[in-house]
Amino acid sequence: MGIEERLQKLEDDRAIRDLKARYLRACDTKEPETVRDCLLPDGAVIAYDGFPPFDNRNDFVAVYAQMGCAPGIFDIHHGANGIIRFENDVLAMGEWSLFFHNINLAGKTLTQMGVEYDDIYVKQDGRWWIAETRSKRLSCLIHSVDDAGRPAVAVMGDPPASFGEA
């Protein structure tokens, strides 16, 4: 592989890492249009553990905006340990670890989860997109908070089947 090809791989790797960071930050800062702009326009697959699967970005973003952008919802998505593998010049796979933290004022809960992402990225029209993103929850800690503000462990270990994250 020549120097130009190696340099392009480095630039593509950086672009994918920036794309994933942009997506996670947009989830935290409640920017549905930025979330949408990270996902492949035609046929993005979003399959997060605890949520129904989506086969397009618009349906996913509508649910994200309803759940993740509601008043009193505060999220932190810290992605780390990214591994990017290139299949060719326009297709890459990514694995990420995620620490998810949620404060839900209406539900009076504090939630922390360990999550693993498996992503597929495609390059179209000179830029990278998230074409497919899947998550698997590895751990969960949910505290319920009483009226006096005291937390009590409600779930520890495996998350409930219906609980999800964006």
Side-chain angles (χ1 to χ4, degrees):
M1 184 182 311
I3 189 85
E4 290 175 5
E5 293 161 318
R6 291 171 51 204
L7 180 58
Q8 185 61 56
K9 279 284 184 260
L10 288 171
E11 289 176 352
D12 287 338
D13 184 89
R14 180 78 253 170
I16 290 169
R17 291 175 190 283
D18 287 350
L19 172 65
K20 187 66 173 188
R22 184 173 170 241
Y23 171 82
L24 296 173
R25 290 175 65 90
C27 289
D28 293 345
T29 56
K30 302 180 185 325
E31 298 177 40
E33 290 310 310
T34 302
V35 169
R36 182 188 326 276
D37 189 55
C38 293
L39 301 167
L40 186 67
D42 296 317
V45 172
I46 302 97
Y48 293 148
D49 207 357
F51 279 97
F54 297 90
D55 62 3
N56 69 84
R57 69 184 191 171
N58 292 332
D59 289 347
F60 169 74
V61 170
V63 171
Y64 158 73
Q66 179 184 16
M67 293 177 66
C69 298
I73 299 292
F74 304 95
D75 291 334
I76 299 172
H77 295 73
H78 280 184
N81 307 326
I83 299 171
I84 308 298
R85 293 178 319 280
F86 289 92
E87 299 295 315
N88 55 48
D89 293 342
V90 296
L91 178 65
M93 310 300 179
E95 298 174 31
W96 300 90
S97 300
L98 179 84
F99 174 74
F100 174 75
H101 180 76
N102 169 269
I103 299 170
N104 181 330
L105 296 180
K108 294 185 178 182
T109 58
L110 306 170
T111 301
Q112 295 179 349
M113 287 194 289
V115 177
E116 286 293 317
Y117 278 107
D118 288 308
D119 293 345
I120 298 175
Y121 307 98
V122 297
K123 190 174 189 179
Q124 289 183 355
D125 302 321
R127 68 163 280 193
W128 287 95
W129 300 89
I130 300 170
E132 185 171 317
T133 180
R134 298 177 181 276
S135 75
K136 180 180 180 186
R137 295 169 297 180
L138 302 179
S139 65
C140 184
L141 177 63
I142 301 175
H143 287 92
S144 59
V145 180
D146 67 18
D147 290 336
R150 291 182 299 258
V153 173
V155 174
M156 187 166 58
D158 291 332
S162 63
F163 188 87
E165 46 82 34

